[in-house]
Amino acid sequence: MDQKVIIIGAGASALMLAALLPPKHAILIDTNPKAGEKICISGGGKCNITNANMDTSYYLGEERFIGEVLSRFTQQDLLQWLIRHGLHPVLRKESQYFCPRSSSELLDILLKESRKQKILLNEQVLDVRKRGEMFYVKTNRRTLNAPKVVVASGGLSFPRLGASGIGYEIAEHFGHTIRKTAPALVGFTVQKEQFFFKSLSGVSTEVVITVGEEVCRGSLLFAHKGISGPAVLDASLYWERGKITIDFLPGFEWKRVRQSKKQLSSLFPMPKRVTKAFLLQFGIEDRPGHTISSEILHKLQILSSYTFAPAGTFGYGKAEVTRGGVATNEVDVQTMESGKSRGLYFTGEVLDVTGRLGGYNFQWAFSSAYVCAATIRREKG
Ligand SMILES: Cc1cc2nc3c(=O)[nH]c(=O)nc-3n(C[C@H](O)[C@H](O)[C@H](O)COP(=O)(O)OP(=O)(O)OC[C@H]3O[C@@H](n4cnc5c(N)ncnc54)[C@H](O)[C@@H]3O)c2cc1C
């Protein structure tokens, strides 16, 4: 095999890169029996591809690096590329672009376009070494060599879909710094004081969550293991340890409570079951609003700023992404090439760039792949 580039991984970023490179230029290697497995299950099976509201504030990582990469292949560029290939993403939830019917619509395009490269499946990369100008990629089956290697092996989340730490191991071997990794876009487990949440499993309600300086709006879903749902997943991106504050009644006018004849359980704009669980927890009787004392009102107002420390997260098994990764100040933003070893590149989630929910992570995977592909094409010709 006479490939010029070895790409580690055949996920979102690797497939876009393969699609953008000249034919017979690269060889992709992936542990999974199928390429792009995560794309299939993403966005509830419809893949949230990108977002109309795109800027660096939706990402965690080095702002200048992220902004420059996104500006080289914007959400508009991605949408136009998809439309040219016959996919017309649909706008949902105000600003999020999804596949019209199924994630396989996006995957099929990526697979068709990357067919011009060789893809080795069921093959695990074990390590990468360099001798002279040549990289040697050792797998569980053989050793391949090429003058360029792209690490597009993603992060640690969803190990059942092939995730591994190989990208970080390769980066470290070549002298890169790895920013501390953690599961992100994931639910929180709770401590004893919040065990009563579990009785609400399956119920969801609109909230605003504050983690440090960050504010995350959307639904919270009570789950068997703790709390989940879009607002919680976004909050997990910023949480390290310590407390979060949940406003269970965003915009609620408290002065109405003691003027109302309604029972407390019907008075608040959230599911009755949730109000009842909190009343029980606070030891407050369910009675008409106008009959409660100012002391009880004060106790209830905790619902607007319910503060507690989650016990932890649901872990990498459930996390949509991995926060942290290869430090971007050691990667050339114009090329995605390693600042430590010529011919070595990084794209996608393996880098220390993590987006919120809403299509930001695929956009990052595709934009960084575009920058890398442009470099490799330029150097070829
Ligand atoms: C359930 C779920 C839903 C999601 N939904 C969305 C969404 O709707 N919108 C969005 O923007 N993002 C979503 N994401 C996040 C998104 O899927 C990732 O951010 C994106 O896939 C990252 O692309 P990547 O190419 O960098 O890594 P990946 O897509 O993870 O690809 C990396 C590939 O490398 C392979 N690999 C790893 N180690 C090795 C090894 N040692 N040898 C060979 N191959 C290896 C893996 O098998 C994998 O195929 C979701 C993630 C999950 C888990």
Side-chain angles (χ1 to χ4, degrees):
M1 279 178 270
D2 186 24
Q3 66 288 324
K4 315 273 188 310
V5 184
I6 296 174
I7 303 172
I8 302 176
S13 198
L15 290 174
M16 179 57 90
L17 176 58
L20 297 173
L21 288 177
K24 297 191 177 156
H25 204 73
I27 183 162
L28 286 72
I29 311 172
D30 203 294
T31 326
N32 283 335
K34 287 192 213 138
E37 292 240 41
K38 246 186 221 172
I39 295 173
C40 271
I41 59 157
S42 66
K46 291 203 168 170
C47 186
N48 183 187
I49 307 167
T50 187
N51 202 299
N53 301 330
M54 186 64 59
D55 71 62
T56 54
S57 65
Y58 296 99
Y59 290 88
L60 205 60
E62 204 192 332
E63 196 179 336
R64 199 187 56 81
F65 188 92
I66 299 168
E68 255 186 84
V69 172
L70 292 177
S71 72
R72 295 273 301 278
F73 189 66
T74 65
Q75 77 275 33
Q76 304 301 346
D77 296 329
L78 173 60
L79 290 170
Q80 275 164 24
W81 188 86
L82 293 170
I83 291 166
R84 274 204 306 281
H85 289 85
L87 177 66
H88 294 256
V90 291
L91 203 53
R92 296 211 176 92
K93 302 181 193 168
E94 290 174 19
S95 63
Q96 296 170 234
Y97 284 98
F98 284 83
C99 289
R101 284 171 292 276
S102 146
S103 307
S104 60
E105 294 168 305
L106 170 64
L107 183 57
D108 287 349
I109 290 173
L110 290 170
L111 289 179
K112 184 163 169 256
E113 291 304 308
S114 55
R115 210 174 286 151
K116 58 190 173 184
Q117 318 296 349
K118 193 166 179 61
I119 303 186
L120 301 176
L121 296 169
N122 288 311
E123 189 152 340
Q124 189 188 4
V125 172
L126 302 176
D127 70 37
V128 176
R129 296 289 178 261
K130 193 177 186 187
R131 281 199 295 277
E133 294 301 296
M134 197 60 90
F135 289 95
Y136 293 83
V137 177
K138 188 172 157 201
T139 76
N140 56 340
R141 297 191 177 183
R142 65 197 110 198
T143 298
L144 295 159
N145 64 287
K148 290 187 188 343
V149 164
V150 182
V151 181
S153 53
L156 295 166
S157 65
F158 266 61
R160 69 183 168 85
L161 291 185
S164 80
I166 190 70
Y168 311 130
E169 288 165 31
I170 296 167
E172 273 187 324
H173 173 79
F174 287 97
H176 281 271
T177 309
I178 306 300
R179 302 264 182 256
K180 190 169 163 246
T181 56
L185 303 190
V186 65
F188 289 130
T189 53
V190 290
Q191 312 212 40
K192 222 177 38 266
E193 294 75 16
Q194 283 74 40
F195 276 1
F196 72 101
F197 282 3
K198 298 182 184 192
S199 67
L200 295 168
S201 182
V203 180
S204 86
T205 186
E206 292 300 301
V207 298
V208 175
I209 307 181
T210 308
V211 190
E213 307 273 283
E214 303 291 337
V215 175
C216 308
R217 295 166 203 279
S219 348
L220 173 150
L221 174 70
F222 292 96
H224 180 61
K225 285 171 82 178
I227 50 172
S228 186
V232 175
L233 267 54
D234 271 342
S236 72
L237 187 56
Y238 308 105
W239 184 78
E240 289 188 30
R241 280 260 155 258
K243 293 185 176 171
I244 63 170
T245 298
I246 305 182
D247 179 355
F248 281 96
L249 296 166
F252 183 69
E253 287 179 38
W254 281 97
K255 61 176 185 294
R256 280 175 34 203
V257 175
R258 289 180 71 200
Q259 296 158 2
S260 176
K261 293 204 163 94
K262 282 188 185 170
Q263 293 287 114
L264 291 173
S265 58
S266 315
L267 207 152
F268 297 115
M270 62 180 176
K272 236 180 186 179
R273 271 182 69 189
V274 179
T275 312
K276 283 189 164 175
F278 274 107
L279 290 178
L280 194 67
Q281 187 64 16
F282 296 159
I284 297 174
E285 191 192 336
D286 188 12
R287 48 200 266 205
H290 68 98
T291 66
I292 65 166
S293 64
S294 57
E295 195 191 327
I296 288 180
L297 179 70
H298 194 67
K299 232 177 181 180
L300 283 168
Q301 281 173 331
I302 293 175
L303 286 170
S304 285
S305 54
Y306 187 80
T307 301
F308 69 100
T313 71
F314 294 179
Y316 285 116
K318 300 269 184 209
E320 290 201 5
V321 289
T322 301
R323 188 178 65 203
V326 178
T328 49
N329 63 342
E330 296 165 355
V331 174
D332 183 345
V333 70
Q334 299 299 329
T335 60
M336 308 309 289
E337 190 173 21
S338 156
K340 305 278 180 184
S341 180
R342 254 191 86 69
L344 180 67
Y345 300 79
F346 297 94
T347 69
E349 200 181 306
V350 72
L351 286 159
D352 177 25
V353 176
T354 320
R356 279 194 178 202
L357 275 193
Y360 296 104
N361 288 298
F362 279 132
Q363 179 69 47
W364 173 254
F366 296 145
S367 294
S368 53
Y370 175 89
V371 172
C372 185
T375 309
I376 294 176
R377 274 203 315 262
R378 202 170 46 238
E379 290 185 359
K380 175 188 178 267

PDB file of all heavy atoms in Angstrom, residues 346-367:
ATOM      1  N   PHE A 346      -3.653  16.801  14.040  1.00  0.00           N
ATOM      2  CA  PHE A 346      -4.764  16.449  14.937  1.00  0.00           C
ATOM      3  C   PHE A 346      -6.033  17.128  14.448  1.00  0.00           C
ATOM      4  O   PHE A 346      -6.005  18.321  14.126  1.00  0.00           O
ATOM      5  CB  PHE A 346      -4.487  16.925  16.369  1.00  0.00           C
ATOM      6  CG  PHE A 346      -3.285  16.288  16.999  1.00  0.00           C
ATOM      7  CD1 PHE A 346      -2.040  16.910  16.938  1.00  0.00           C
ATOM      8  CD2 PHE A 346      -3.381  15.050  17.631  1.00  0.00           C
ATOM      9  CE1 PHE A 346      -0.916  16.326  17.508  1.00  0.00           C
ATOM     10  CE2 PHE A 346      -2.262  14.448  18.203  1.00  0.00           C
ATOM     11  CZ  PHE A 346      -1.025  15.087  18.138  1.00  0.00           C
ATOM     12  N   THR A 347      -7.135  16.381  14.415  1.00  0.00           N
ATOM     13  CA  THR A 347      -8.428  17.007  14.095  1.00  0.00           C
ATOM     14  C   THR A 347      -9.510  16.428  15.009  1.00  0.00           C
ATOM     15  O   THR A 347      -9.369  15.323  15.531  1.00  0.00           O
ATOM     16  CB  THR A 347      -8.865  16.740  12.623  1.00  0.00           C
ATOM     17  OG1 THR A 347      -9.185  15.361  12.480  1.00  0.00           O
ATOM     18  CG2 THR A 347      -7.813  17.158  11.622  1.00  0.00           C
ATOM     19  N   GLY A 348     -10.591  17.187  15.184  1.00  0.00           N
ATOM     20  CA  GLY A 348     -11.778  16.686  15.894  1.00  0.00           C
ATOM     21  C   GLY A 348     -11.658  16.736  17.403  1.00  0.00           C
ATOM     22  O   GLY A 348     -10.931  17.547  17.987  1.00  0.00           O
ATOM     23  N   GLU A 349     -12.365  15.796  18.020  1.00  0.00           N
ATOM     24  CA  GLU A 349     -12.558  15.830  19.470  1.00  0.00           C
ATOM     25  C   GLU A 349     -11.300  15.536  20.276  1.00  0.00           C
ATOM     26  O   GLU A 349     -11.240  15.832  21.469  1.00  0.00           O
ATOM     27  CB  GLU A 349     -13.661  14.812  19.808  1.00  0.00           C
ATOM     28  CG  GLU A 349     -14.310  15.047  21.141  1.00  0.00           C
ATOM     29  CD  GLU A 349     -15.368  13.993  21.431  1.00  0.00           C
ATOM     30  OE1 GLU A 349     -16.267  13.802  20.596  1.00  0.00           O
ATOM     31  OE2 GLU A 349     -15.268  13.357  22.494  1.00  0.00           O
ATOM     32  N   VAL A 350     -10.298  14.939  19.672  1.00  0.00           N
ATOM     33  CA  VAL A 350      -9.057  14.636  20.401  1.00  0.00           C
ATOM     34  C   VAL A 350      -8.386  15.920  20.897  1.00  0.00           C
ATOM     35  O   VAL A 350      -7.643  15.914  21.881  1.00  0.00           O
ATOM     36  CB  VAL A 350      -8.098  13.782  19.514  1.00  0.00           C
ATOM     37  CG1 VAL A 350      -7.493  14.615  18.382  1.00  0.00           C
ATOM     38  CG2 VAL A 350      -7.003  13.136  20.346  1.00  0.00           C
ATOM     39  N   LEU A 351      -8.680  17.030  20.223  1.00  0.00           N
ATOM     40  CA  LEU A 351      -8.125  18.327  20.629  1.00  0.00           C
ATOM     41  C   LEU A 351      -8.886  18.881  21.826  1.00  0.00           C
ATOM     42  O   LEU A 351     -10.042  18.490  22.079  1.00  0.00           O
ATOM     43  CB  LEU A 351      -8.218  19.313  19.454  1.00  0.00           C
ATOM     44  CG  LEU A 351      -7.203  19.057  18.331  1.00  0.00           C
ATOM     45  CD1 LEU A 351      -7.681  19.712  17.039  1.00  0.00           C
ATOM     46  CD2 LEU A 351      -5.827  19.580  18.704  1.00  0.00           C
ATOM     47  N   ASP A 352      -8.275  19.812  22.516  1.00  0.00           N
ATOM     48  CA  ASP A 352      -8.902  20.432  23.686  1.00  0.00           C
ATOM     49  C   ASP A 352      -9.922  21.494  23.245  1.00  0.00           C
ATOM     50  O   ASP A 352      -9.749  22.685  23.500  1.00  0.00           O
ATOM     51  CB  ASP A 352      -7.798  21.054  24.564  1.00  0.00           C
ATOM     52  CG  ASP A 352      -8.372  21.777  25.768  1.00  0.00           C
ATOM     53  OD1 ASP A 352      -9.483  21.433  26.190  1.00  0.00           O
ATOM     54  OD2 ASP A 352      -7.695  22.704  26.272  1.00  0.00           O
ATOM     55  N   VAL A 353     -10.947  21.034  22.545  1.00  0.00           N
ATOM     56  CA  VAL A 353     -12.029  21.911  22.077  1.00  0.00           C
ATOM     57  C   VAL A 353     -13.324  21.127  22.275  1.00  0.00           C
ATOM     58  O   VAL A 353     -13.455  20.016  21.753  1.00  0.00           O
ATOM     59  CB  VAL A 353     -11.876  22.251  20.576  1.00  0.00           C
ATOM     60  CG1 VAL A 353     -13.068  23.069  20.090  1.00  0.00           C
ATOM     61  CG2 VAL A 353     -10.572  23.008  20.328  1.00  0.00           C
ATOM     62  N   THR A 354     -14.248  21.675  23.051  1.00  0.00           N
ATOM     63  CA  THR A 354     -15.514  20.963  23.292  1.00  0.00           C
ATOM     64  C   THR A 354     -16.662  21.937  23.166  1.00  0.00           C
ATOM     65  O   THR A 354     -16.649  23.003  23.778  1.00  0.00           O
ATOM     66  CB  THR A 354     -15.529  20.338  24.707  1.00  0.00           C
ATOM     67  OG1 THR A 354     -14.241  19.800  24.979  1.00  0.00           O
ATOM     68  CG2 THR A 354     -16.557  19.236  24.791  1.00  0.00           C
ATOM     69  N   GLY A 355     -17.659  21.542  22.393  1.00  0.00           N
ATOM     70  CA  GLY A 355     -18.810  22.416  22.175  1.00  0.00           C
ATOM     71  C   GLY A 355     -19.986  22.038  23.044  1.00  0.00           C
ATOM     72  O   GLY A 355     -20.052  20.942  23.604  1.00  0.00           O
ATOM     73  N   ARG A 356     -20.918  22.986  23.148  1.00  0.00           N
ATOM     74  CA  ARG A 356     -22.183  22.706  23.832  1.00  0.00           C
ATOM     75  C   ARG A 356     -23.029  21.784  22.975  1.00  0.00           C
ATOM     76  O   ARG A 356     -22.683  21.480  21.830  1.00  0.00           O
ATOM     77  CB  ARG A 356     -22.951  24.013  24.019  1.00  0.00           C
ATOM     78  CG  ARG A 356     -22.482  24.825  25.202  1.00  0.00           C
ATOM     79  CD  ARG A 356     -23.517  25.892  25.482  1.00  0.00           C
ATOM     80  NE  ARG A 356     -23.164  26.677  26.642  1.00  0.00           N
ATOM     81  CZ  ARG A 356     -24.041  27.367  27.362  1.00  0.00           C
ATOM     82  NH1 ARG A 356     -25.324  27.381  27.022  1.00  0.00           N
ATOM     83  NH2 ARG A 356     -23.668  28.077  28.404  1.00  0.00           N
ATOM     84  N   LEU A 357     -24.173  21.390  23.489  1.00  0.00           N
ATOM     85  CA  LEU A 357     -25.158  20.646  22.705  1.00  0.00           C
ATOM     86  C   LEU A 357     -25.630  21.554  21.575  1.00  0.00           C
ATOM     87  O   LEU A 357     -25.695  22.761  21.759  1.00  0.00           O
ATOM     88  CB  LEU A 357     -26.401  20.357  23.552  1.00  0.00           C
ATOM     89  CG  LEU A 357     -26.462  19.170  24.465  1.00  0.00           C
ATOM     90  CD1 LEU A 357     -27.922  18.995  24.888  1.00  0.00           C
ATOM     91  CD2 LEU A 357     -25.958  17.896  23.841  1.00  0.00           C
ATOM     92  N   GLY A 358     -25.996  20.964  20.449  1.00  0.00           N
ATOM     93  CA  GLY A 358     -26.586  21.805  19.406  1.00  0.00           C
ATOM     94  C   GLY A 358     -25.879  21.707  18.071  1.00  0.00           C
ATOM     95  O   GLY A 358     -26.097  22.562  17.209  1.00  0.00           O
ATOM     96  N   GLY A 359     -25.025  20.703  17.884  1.00  0.00           N
ATOM     97  CA  GLY A 359     -24.350  20.546  16.593  1.00  0.00           C
ATOM     98  C   GLY A 359     -22.948  21.132  16.588  1.00  0.00           C
ATOM     99  O   GLY A 359     -22.256  21.108  15.571  1.00  0.00           O
ATOM    100  N   TYR A 360     -22.521  21.674  17.728  1.00  0.00           N
ATOM    101  CA  TYR A 360     -21.219  22.347  17.787  1.00  0.00           C
ATOM    102  C   TYR A 360     -20.047  21.371  17.672  1.00  0.00           C
ATOM    103  O   TYR A 360     -18.984  21.721  17.172  1.00  0.00           O
ATOM    104  CB  TYR A 360     -21.112  23.168  19.084  1.00  0.00           C
ATOM    105  CG  TYR A 360     -22.133  24.281  19.104  1.00  0.00           C
ATOM    106  CD1 TYR A 360     -23.285  24.191  19.877  1.00  0.00           C
ATOM    107  CD2 TYR A 360     -21.967  25.384  18.285  1.00  0.00           C
ATOM    108  CE1 TYR A 360     -24.248  25.202  19.855  1.00  0.00           C
ATOM    109  CE2 TYR A 360     -22.919  26.398  18.252  1.00  0.00           C
ATOM    110  CZ  TYR A 360     -24.050  26.298  19.038  1.00  0.00           C
ATOM    111  OH  TYR A 360     -24.995  27.281  19.000  1.00  0.00           O
ATOM    112  N   ASN A 361     -20.240  20.153  18.135  1.00  0.00           N
ATOM    113  CA  ASN A 361     -19.115  19.210  18.104  1.00  0.00           C
ATOM    114  C   ASN A 361     -18.886  18.628  16.714  1.00  0.00           C
ATOM    115  O   ASN A 361     -17.743  18.446  16.297  1.00  0.00           O
ATOM    116  CB  ASN A 361     -19.302  18.152  19.189  1.00  0.00           C
ATOM    117  CG  ASN A 361     -19.072  18.770  20.554  1.00  0.00           C
ATOM    118  OD1 ASN A 361     -17.978  19.241  20.853  1.00  0.00           O
ATOM    119  ND2 ASN A 361     -20.127  18.858  21.359  1.00  0.00           N
ATOM    120  N   PHE A 362     -19.970  18.392  15.974  1.00  0.00           N
ATOM    121  CA  PHE A 362     -19.764  17.953  14.579  1.00  0.00           C
ATOM    122  C   PHE A 362     -19.163  19.086  13.750  1.00  0.00           C
ATOM    123  O   PHE A 362     -18.287  18.860  12.929  1.00  0.00           O
ATOM    124  CB  PHE A 362     -21.067  17.457  13.946  1.00  0.00           C
ATOM    125  CG  PHE A 362     -21.396  16.041  14.340  1.00  0.00           C
ATOM    126  CD1 PHE A 362     -22.671  15.699  14.779  1.00  0.00           C
ATOM    127  CD2 PHE A 362     -20.435  15.042  14.266  1.00  0.00           C
ATOM    128  CE1 PHE A 362     -22.967  14.396  15.161  1.00  0.00           C
ATOM    129  CE2 PHE A 362     -20.727  13.732  14.642  1.00  0.00           C
ATOM    130  CZ  PHE A 362     -21.997  13.415  15.080  1.00  0.00           C
ATOM    131  N   GLN A 363     -19.656  20.311  13.988  1.00  0.00           N
ATOM    132  CA  GLN A 363     -19.092  21.434  13.224  1.00  0.00           C
ATOM    133  C   GLN A 363     -17.580  21.510  13.481  1.00  0.00           C
ATOM    134  O   GLN A 363     -16.798  21.707  12.547  1.00  0.00           O
ATOM    135  CB  GLN A 363     -19.778  22.747  13.614  1.00  0.00           C
ATOM    136  CG  GLN A 363     -19.234  23.958  12.874  1.00  0.00           C
ATOM    137  CD  GLN A 363     -19.580  23.974  11.389  1.00  0.00           C
ATOM    138  OE1 GLN A 363     -20.721  23.751  11.000  1.00  0.00           O
ATOM    139  NE2 GLN A 363     -18.584  24.229  10.533  1.00  0.00           N
ATOM    140  N   TRP A 364     -17.185  21.326  14.730  1.00  0.00           N
ATOM    141  CA  TRP A 364     -15.750  21.365  15.045  1.00  0.00           C
ATOM    142  C   TRP A 364     -15.000  20.228  14.329  1.00  0.00           C
ATOM    143  O   TRP A 364     -13.933  20.430  13.737  1.00  0.00           O
ATOM    144  CB  TRP A 364     -15.508  21.281  16.563  1.00  0.00           C
ATOM    145  CG  TRP A 364     -14.043  21.148  16.852  1.00  0.00           C
ATOM    146  CD1 TRP A 364     -13.376  20.042  17.259  1.00  0.00           C
ATOM    147  CD2 TRP A 364     -13.058  22.169  16.657  1.00  0.00           C
ATOM    148  NE1 TRP A 364     -12.033  20.297  17.331  1.00  0.00           N
ATOM    149  CE2 TRP A 364     -11.807  21.610  16.968  1.00  0.00           C
ATOM    150  CE3 TRP A 364     -13.109  23.505  16.240  1.00  0.00           C
ATOM    151  CZ2 TRP A 364     -10.613  22.319  16.882  1.00  0.00           C
ATOM    152  CZ3 TRP A 364     -11.917  24.224  16.152  1.00  0.00           C
ATOM    153  CH2 TRP A 364     -10.688  23.618  16.474  1.00  0.00           C
ATOM    154  N   ALA A 365     -15.574  19.035  14.386  1.00  0.00           N
ATOM    155  CA  ALA A 365     -14.933  17.877  13.732  1.00  0.00           C
ATOM    156  C   ALA A 365     -14.745  18.165  12.240  1.00  0.00           C
ATOM    157  O   ALA A 365     -13.686  17.874  11.670  1.00  0.00           O
ATOM    158  CB  ALA A 365     -15.788  16.625  13.940  1.00  0.00           C
ATOM    159  N   PHE A 366     -15.770  18.774  11.609  1.00  0.00           N
ATOM    160  CA  PHE A 366     -15.711  19.014  10.158  1.00  0.00           C
ATOM    161  C   PHE A 366     -14.808  20.211   9.819  1.00  0.00           C
ATOM    162  O   PHE A 366     -14.047  20.155   8.855  1.00  0.00           O
ATOM    163  CB  PHE A 366     -17.123  19.241   9.602  1.00  0.00           C
ATOM    164  CG  PHE A 366     -18.016  18.025   9.741  1.00  0.00           C
ATOM    165  CD1 PHE A 366     -19.379  18.156  10.006  1.00  0.00           C
ATOM    166  CD2 PHE A 366     -17.504  16.741   9.607  1.00  0.00           C
ATOM    167  CE1 PHE A 366     -20.204  17.037  10.140  1.00  0.00           C
ATOM    168  CE2 PHE A 366     -18.316  15.613   9.737  1.00  0.00           C
ATOM    169  CZ  PHE A 366     -19.671  15.764  10.011  1.00  0.00           C
ATOM    170  N   SER A 367     -14.897  21.277  10.600  1.00  0.00           N
ATOM    171  CA  SER A 367     -14.064  22.460  10.301  1.00  0.00           C
ATOM    172  C   SER A 367     -12.588  22.130  10.453  1.00  0.00           C
ATOM    173  O   SER A 367     -11.762  22.529   9.629  1.00  0.00           O
ATOM    174  CB  SER A 367     -14.417  23.626  11.236  1.00  0.00           C
ATOM    175  OG  SER A 367     -15.710  24.079  10.984  1.00  0.00           O
TER     176      SER A 367
END
